[in-house]
Amino acid sequence: MNPAHTIEFLFDFGSPTTYLAHTQLPRIARETGARVDYVPMLLGGVFKATGNQSPVMVPPKGRWMGGDLARFARRYGVPFTFNPHFPINTLTLMRGAVGLQMRQPDRFMAYVDAVFRAMWVEPVNMGDPVVLAKTLDAAGFDAEAFIALVGDAEVKARLIANTEAAVARGVFGAPTFFVGDQMHFGQDRLDFVREAAGAV
């Protein structure tokens, strides 16, 4: 496949703007004929490596962003509720994403959809092991098998490698998209992603 027709989506469940981007990528893929490759990374690791931080750490920006997220959700016609438990440590969630990509790729998107919904639609505290187990069970996953998966040394190493590779490519936050060598940051840049992916 032409690299210009592959959208790499570098994501972390802890970002509400990443959830919004996730809801729009299927449409962009249909419109452009592009394939979307989901690349799990640990946003906390990216922030640590780059000196960046969540916008909500700047109170005026955080207040503005809350309204902006709601406006985009209305524009997209998707449900969205800011998670009152934010920020949530997503290490286990992101290891789960990497692990399913590695071991059960056919179940990966079902997991992604379930976690994003739990984080930014319901929303619940996915940092609570009991809540996580209930969410996994409702989505048809075995919680005990999941615990074993996220504890796998190869899975842990892959998430670290994904995160380090992202930083090496210039990533400083989520969501980040690559179309070929072009990097785009933020769900409000999806028009540029669509243009790049649709280029022949």
Side-chain angles (χ1 to χ4, degrees):
M1 179 175 287
N2 186 334
H5 285 77
T6 300
I7 301 169
E8 295 177 77
F9 177 48
L10 282 67
F11 76 101
D12 184 304
F13 294 117
S15 161
T17 54
T18 302
Y19 156 71
L20 290 175
H22 164 72
T23 68
Q24 300 307 296
L25 286 172
R27 176 174 55 83
I28 292 173
R30 289 193 302 271
E31 291 173 353
T32 63
R35 180 185 69 203
V36 179
D37 287 346
Y38 277 66
V39 182
M41 65 178 187
L42 189 64
L43 188 55
V46 171
F47 282 170
K48 183 176 180 180
T50 62
N52 197 9
Q53 62 180 345
S54 170
V56 301
M57 300 305 291
V58 181
K61 190 172 185 178
R63 289 191 293 272
W64 170 84
M65 187 174 179
D68 200 52
L69 290 167
R71 282 188 290 272
F72 270 104
R74 287 193 296 271
R75 173 173 289 180
Y76 295 153
V78 298
F80 171 77
T81 304
F82 193 85
N83 197 309
H85 306 286
F86 182 90
I88 293 172
N89 186 328
T90 59
L91 179 59
T92 297
L93 301 176
M94 299 316 300
R95 284 177 177 169
V98 166
L100 286 166
Q101 272 191 334
M102 294 171 65
R103 310 282 193 241
Q104 292 180 276
D106 59 315
R107 297 287 285 143
F108 172 73
M109 286 308 301
Y111 172 78
V112 168
D113 288 337
V115 175
F116 269 131
R117 180 171 183 81
M119 287 285 293
W120 302 111
V121 176
E122 295 175 358
V124 295
N125 184 4
M126 290 294 279
D128 183 329
V130 174
V131 173
L132 173 58
K134 288 181 179 178
T135 300
L136 292 171
D137 182 67
F141 291 92
D142 183 293
E144 289 187 9
F146 182 84
I147 291 171
L149 180 69
V150 299
D152 186 303
E154 290 185 358
V155 169
K156 293 179 179 180
R158 178 69 63 84
L159 181 59
I160 291 171
N162 280 5
T163 304
E164 290 177 344
V167 171
R169 296 176 77 183
V171 172
F172 54 86
T176 297
F177 314 88
F178 284 93
V179 183
D181 292 331
Q182 291 187 36
M183 186 178 95
H184 303 276
F185 169 73
Q187 67 85 22
D188 53 350
R189 298 299 190 271
L190 285 173
D191 284 346
F192 290 110
V193 174
R194 182 189 294 105
E195 289 175 8
V200 177

